[in-house]
């Protein structure tokens, strides 16, 4: 079974940083692109960042561009989201997910496996 386990969330002050991790198992990690999404209370799940199987291409939402970096380590079956200059608007549950090749990696519906999420709270 596909399993994605997020970690690294927590409570930080505005301007602070967090590094989220997503440990994958149950499938061939390097065969899939990976993405990060977030969902705030009362809002739809939204795209944050994604990365191809090789890590050679990345995509970012305009709202986080310049503040976050997605990366992956295929030897460890892990994808990361480094978040800097955090804002209260970044408060959400952050989810990692996988997508098959030849997909739109910014589209939530491209993804067919999801973790349970990790809470990020940014205080002002």
């Amino acid at each position: 079974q596909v399993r994605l386990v997020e970690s690294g969330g927590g409570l930080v002050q505005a301007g602070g940083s967090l590094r989220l991790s997503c440990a994958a198992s149950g499938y061939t990690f390097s065969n899939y692109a990976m993405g990060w999404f977030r969902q705030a209370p009362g809002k739809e799940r939204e795209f944050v960042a994604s990365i191809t199987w090789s890590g050679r291409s990345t995509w970012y939402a305009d709202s986080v561009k310049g503040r976050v970096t997605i990366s992956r380590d295929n030897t460890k079956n892990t994808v990361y989201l480094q978040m800097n200059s955090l804002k209260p608007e970044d408060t959400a549950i952050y989810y990692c997910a996988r997508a098959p090749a030849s997909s739109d990696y910014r589209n939530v519906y491209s993804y067919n496996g999801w973790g349970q999420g990790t809470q990020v709270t940014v205080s002002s």
Side-chain angles (χ1 to χ4, degrees):
Q1 288 182 275
V2 174
R3 191 181 184 209
L4 302 171
V5 181
E6 301 94 337
S7 61
L11 174 63
V12 297
Q13 289 188 323
S17 297
L18 283 174
R19 190 194 193 201
L20 308 184
S21 298
C22 175
S25 61
Y27 71 100
T28 303
F29 181 70
S30 60
N31 284 355
Y32 290 82
M34 298 295 295
W36 286 96
F37 292 76
R38 66 187 183 187
Q39 189 165 24
K43 299 188 69 176
E44 299 287 331
R45 190 168 298 188
E46 66 176 1
F47 169 75
V48 177
S50 59
I51 187 167
T52 55
W53 69 270
S54 65
R56 289 193 283 268
S57 296
T58 59
W59 294 263
Y60 296 95
D62 289 343
S63 59
V64 302
K65 199 171 298 181
R67 300 189 295 117
V68 309
T69 302
I70 189 171
S71 61
R72 67 189 297 163
D73 185 344
N74 286 350
T75 70
K76 298 180 178 179
N77 291 350
T78 302
V79 62
Y80 305 95
L81 188 72
Q82 177 68 47
M83 303 191 294
N84 302 319
S85 301
L86 284 164
K87 305 174 181 180
E89 307 93 269
D90 296 317
T91 295
I93 300 175
Y94 283 71
Y95 300 89
C96 66
R98 72 166 198 179
S102 302
S103 301
D104 177 1
Y105 301 129
R106 299 170 296 180
N107 189 334
V108 66
Y109 297 109
S110 295
Y111 293 81
N112 62 9
W114 293 86
Q116 294 300 304
T118 185
Q119 177 71 48
V120 171
T121 303
V122 184
S123 62
S124 60

